Each structure stands twice: as C-alpha cells, then as structure tokens.
Amino acid sequence: MSDRKIVRQPTAPAERDGWYAYYVLAILLLVYVFNFIDRQILAILAEDIKADLGISDAQLGFLYGTAFAMFYATFGIAFGRLADSWNRKKLITLGLSFWSIMTAASGLARGFLPLAACRFGVGVGEASASPAAFSLLYDYFSPRVRTTVLGIYSSGISIGAGLGLFLGGAILKGWADLYPEPALAPLGLKGWQVAFIAVGLPGFVLAFLVSSLREPVRGGRDGIVVEDNPHPFREVGAMLLGMTPLANWPMLGRQGGRKAVLLNALAGLVIASCAALLALVSHDLLQWAAMGIGVYAVFSWAQTLAMRDPVVFGLIFRTPSLIRLILGGSATVFMLPALMFWFVPFLQRFYAVDAGQAGAVMGGAYAGLGITGVLAGGIVADQLRQHFPQGKLVTWLGGMAISLVAAFLSLNSNSLPFAYATMFVSHFFASVAYGPWISMVNDLMLPRGRATVSAFAYMVNTMIGVALGPYLIGHISDALSASGIESGEALRRAMLTGLAITIVGILVVLTALRHVAKDEAGLLDRAKALGEPLS
C-alpha cells in the first residue's frame, strides 16, 4: 500500500486556467505531435523500406506495431508509476530526447534487425510522454474543461500522423529529385533514411522547452493534495524488477510468499507455451516471442501492483466501468492504428497512387480533420456530461460507430475520391471519440494514480491494437498474396478483417453505460474501503 498521505483541501489558488496553463498545454501538444510524427512516418516510408530491405508485409507490421508496442507498453507502466511520484516535466524531457535519438538512428539502419532495434528504442522513449502529460494537465486545469483540454492534447495524434505522412512523402520525392541515382547520394543514404533523420533531430529543441516548464502541485486542482514520494526510483525499480522473468521471484517471495512465486511461474509457463505454439503455426518466432514477453510483463506488473499498492490495483480492476472502457476501447484500436498504417500502402497498391500524393492528401486530411474531431468531441462530451453522467461515454460510442461504418464503405469502394472521402469521415469521428475515452479513464482514478491508470490503459490499448492489428493484417495480406491474389486486393481484404474486432469493442464499452455514473460518484468511498488514508 502507498504510504503517501492524501489530504483533502480547497483547490489551490495558483495555476488556474490562465495563460500559463494554456502555454503548458501548447508545449505538451507539440510533444505529442512529435510523438506521432516519429511513429507514423513509417507508414509513408513502408513501400520504400520494403523494396530496399526486401522484407514482407508481416515484417512491416512488426516494425510499426509489435517492435514499438511491446516496449511502449511495458515501459509505459513503469514510467506511469514514475510520473505519479517524480517530477513529470523531467520524465518527459528525458523520454523525448531518447526517442528523438532512436528515430534519427533509424535512418542509419541497413537491415531489418537494426531497424527493429531502433523501433524498440522509440517505444521506450515515447512511453514516458502521455501518462505524465495527462497527470500534468489534470493539475493545470479545472474539472469543467478537462475533456476539452485532453481533446486538444489528443489532437497531437492526428496532427503528428498527418505531418508524418506529409513530411515523409515530401522528403521521399525531394530526395529522389535531388539524387535520381541513389548511389550518388551522400553516404549512400536512401530517401526513407533521410526522412527518419530529418524528423528525429528537431526533438532536442522541444526537449529544452519542456525542461523549462513549472511543475504544479499534484492533486491541487481537485483539492486532494498528495505528499511527494521520498523514494520514487525505488518504487519504479521494484516494478521493473517485478516484470523481469526469474529475477522477480525473490521479491515476489518476500512480499507474497511461495504462492505468489508459483502463480507467477505458472503464468509464465502458460504464456510461453501459447507463444511457442503461435510461433510454430505462423513461422514467426520474433513476433510471438515479443508478444509473450510483453504479456508476461503485464501479468507480473499487475501481480506486483496488487501487493505494493492494493488501492490503485483495486480501483483499476474492481471498477466495472473502468475495466470495460479499457478492454473495449482497446479492441476498437485494433482497427485504428492498422488503418492509419496500412491505408497509404493500400492506396499505392490498389489505386497506384504515388507516395508524394498520398502523403499530401492523407497528411493534410489527418491533421485538419483530427484537430476538428478531437475539439468537437471534447466540447460535445463536456456539454453532455453537464446534463447526464454518461455524456462522455455516449460521445465515444457515437464517434466509434460512425467511424466503423465509414471505414467499411471506404474499403469496399472502387472509386478513389469516394475512398478518400469516407476514410476522412472515419478519421474525423474516430478523433471525436478519443478525448472522451481517456478523460473517462482518468475520471475514475485518484489523482495519485492517474498516470498509472493512463499507462495501464495505453498498455492494453497498445498490446491489443498496435502490437497485433498491423502485424496480423500484414500476415493475412502475405498469405492472400501467396495464394495468388493481387497485392492491393489482398491488403484490402486483410484490412476488412480488422473491422470485426472493432464491433466487439463497441459492444463491450456499451455494457459500461449502466455503471459509469455510480462508479464515478463512489470513487472516494471505494478508495477508503480499499484502505486509502483520506483525511
């Protein structure tokens, strides 16, 4: 259990929703934009990387999804815990610097494995950003505007994804025009390598700006001030150790006895067996070894959290609406990253669109529609929430349902303008849904656990959606192509299979409607019942 005392007091008078709070929001928004530029640029570079390195669609899906996601998910949990107990601006500064280095280093990769290693590093660095940013923004803004604020922050997804596509396409075209003979280019660099270097290096300037921000009082805007943790790295070190196979057993034994060690060993054996079976069936050891390690790390983290902080553990796993939001929302993400990554290669293969055109059209649309979508979603959700407690959830459900239908229409069209238009509609309404989702997750947690629950939500989101979605669609596309189906049609059919998982996710979240009002109203009572020292 946490030994940090929580004191109820009037909302701190400092750091109200003034100009400095919005300055902090602008800087954190830029961080999130860079986060998604460095992540999404791979989509526009995919066809060039595939041709240059001679890799398959499944390997492309691994680079975009699993290689990034497993490290993002596992380190996100540890960094989320660190953000709940340490200086959040320092954490973001260090993480941003590291992922910028790894993005630039991707441009020096000459093979699949070195590029995968760089993607591992990008995942580690980017894991530091959002949990700490959510926690900071909750301490800078009042409850009445938080969904809108998180919606503005979340627009970084669309802005960054759009800029990544636009910049990547422009750099590919510009480099090809400058050096039509690749062998004559400086250091023999290809266009896709230059693109990684160009978007990675500016992150260091932004890291300097983040380092200059002021750290607000944790929980001050909620009148629930949390004392600083005197040993934040000890807690995080224990958490990382708790996710490490074999090395975690002595700690589990001290805290939970022989039963805890046996449970962990049994879980590890089951996970390893499942991963081995999937690797045998798919002939892809790297994918399923990475997934197995990630799933084991998550189980071990949850086991450690239950022993070290049963209050936060209980609030996560015993709050019906929260666990439904996280699981169902993550299932819908199976569609979104996969579509964001594979739609550009689909345009190139199915409609013979070149990278420059695809980057310009999709990049501009993703950025513009994403911004308006998250702003609209935040405003609508905040307004509906004032009239009935399920307002945020209704906004999410409506946005995701419309997004799903539009994506289905786009992939079943033979008209390029119609495919563009309906995918734009899909992206807009998916953006509408994002802010309300993460806001609801944070509404159902104490201030001292918000970064942890955000990290957990992102971890599940990343493992289900990002690690599996792009890879499985690539794997299905490879299998269909091997059977003789044309590559563009094979990719289209593979993408359609991902939409079915989204339907399941929407149905799961729908069951949270009757729980969310009661769960939010009873948060402090549940925390006290779990042993939280409220006074």
Side-chain angles (χ1 to χ4, degrees), residues 18-303:
W19 72 268
Y20 190 78
Y22 285 96
Y23 169 73
V24 172
L25 173 60
I27 295 297
L28 294 179
L29 171 60
L30 280 176
V31 172
Y32 211 29
V33 168
F34 272 65
N35 187 305
F36 267 83
I37 289 176
D38 295 352
R39 190 185 311 188
Q40 190 64 23
I41 196 170
L42 184 61
I44 196 70
L45 308 180
E47 293 295 281
D48 286 67
I49 293 172
K50 181 178 181 179
D52 192 33
L53 301 184
I55 61 178
S56 67
D57 280 353
Q59 287 175 310
L60 279 174
F62 177 86
L63 288 173
Y64 180 80
T66 314
F68 168 86
M70 286 300 97
F71 285 83
Y72 184 88
T74 52
F75 278 86
I77 286 294
F79 290 154
R81 195 64 174 167
L82 187 57
D84 277 333
S85 56
W86 190 54
N87 188 294
R88 292 161 286 187
K89 70 166 186 178
K90 290 181 180 178
L91 178 58
I92 296 173
T93 299
L94 293 172
L96 172 57
S97 299
F98 184 71
W99 93 60
S100 297
I101 291 173
M102 299 309 293
T103 299
S106 300
L108 304 177
R110 302 286 183 176
F112 171 71
L113 290 178
L115 186 54
C118 291
R119 295 294 292 174
F120 295 159
V122 172
V124 172
E126 291 194 3
S128 66
S130 283
F134 290 140
S135 181
L136 278 172
L137 292 172
Y138 258 63
D139 286 333
Y140 267 109
F141 289 93
S142 60
R144 63 185 176 83
V145 296
R146 282 174 177 166
T147 306
T148 301
V149 167
L150 291 190
I152 294 171
Y153 172 78
S154 300
S155 69
I157 296 174
S158 299
I159 299 171
L163 284 175
L165 294 177
F166 176 79
L167 292 172
I171 292 169
L172 284 177
K173 185 177 185 305
W175 195 254
D177 290 343
L178 278 174
Y179 301 101
E181 180 54 53
L184 300 179
L187 303 177
L189 292 174
K190 306 293 177 60
W192 66 267
Q193 294 174 304
V194 175
F196 276 127
I197 295 170
V199 301
L201 294 179
F204 293 103
V205 178
L206 183 56
F208 173 77
L209 293 176
V210 174
S211 70
S212 68
L213 298 177
R214 297 199 296 263
E215 183 81 4
V217 175
R218 194 184 305 271
R221 299 311 308 270
D222 297 283
I224 308 174
V225 176
V226 184
E227 292 181 351
D228 290 338
N229 188 329
H231 305 292
F233 291 97
R234 182 185 301 173
E235 178 75 15
V236 174
M239 183 162 289
L240 286 173
L241 183 65
M243 293 189 290
T244 306
L246 300 181
N248 59 358
W249 287 0
M251 185 187 71
L252 289 172
R254 288 193 301 271
Q255 295 182 347
R258 182 180 299 177
K259 185 180 293 186
V261 175
L262 290 175
L263 177 62
N264 188 271
L266 178 61
L269 180 62
V270 171
I271 292 167
S273 300
C274 292
L277 180 61
L278 289 167
L280 186 65
V281 171
S282 65
H283 306 290
D284 195 337
L285 177 62
L286 188 59
Q287 164 70 20
W288 297 110
M291 281 295 300
I293 292 170
V295 173
Y296 174 80
V298 171
F299 178 86
S300 298
W301 165 81
Q303 192 179 15

Side-chain angles (χ1 to χ4, degrees), residues 474-528:
H475 193 75
I476 294 169
S477 175
D478 284 337
L480 292 173
S481 294
S483 71
I485 297 174
E486 188 272 329
S487 63
E489 175 62 18
L491 184 54
R492 185 188 74 85
R493 294 185 189 182
M495 292 169 73
L496 282 169
T497 62
L499 301 185
I501 308 298
T502 302
I503 298 173
V504 175
I506 291 174
L507 293 175
V508 170
V509 175
L510 193 61
T511 65
L513 270 174
R514 66 189 184 93
H515 296 283
V516 67
K518 178 182 177 182
D519 288 346
E520 186 175 345
L523 172 61
L524 293 181
D525 290 336
R526 289 198 313 281
K528 287 179 68 176

Side-chain angles (χ1 to χ4, degrees), residues 391-478:
K392 295 180 183 181
L393 187 52
V394 169
T395 305
W396 183 92
L397 287 166
M400 286 308 306
I402 297 172
S403 177
L404 173 65
V405 172
F408 178 81
L409 293 174
S410 179
L411 293 174
N412 280 285
S413 171
N414 287 314
S415 163
L416 179 59
F418 185 79
Y420 271 134
T422 45
M423 190 54 69
F424 295 162
V425 172
S426 177
H427 182 67
F428 174 81
F429 281 99
S431 301
V432 165
Y434 187 79
W437 179 76
I438 196 61
S439 179
M440 286 185 290
V441 167
N442 279 272
D443 287 344
L444 293 164
M445 178 54 64
L446 292 172
R448 74 170 185 85
R450 282 177 182 152
T452 298
V453 75
S454 294
F456 175 69
Y458 270 104
M459 175 198 65
V460 178
N461 188 304
T462 300
M463 292 187 69
I464 294 176
V466 182
L468 286 177
Y471 168 80
L472 288 178
I473 286 175
H475 193 75
I476 294 169
S477 175
D478 284 337

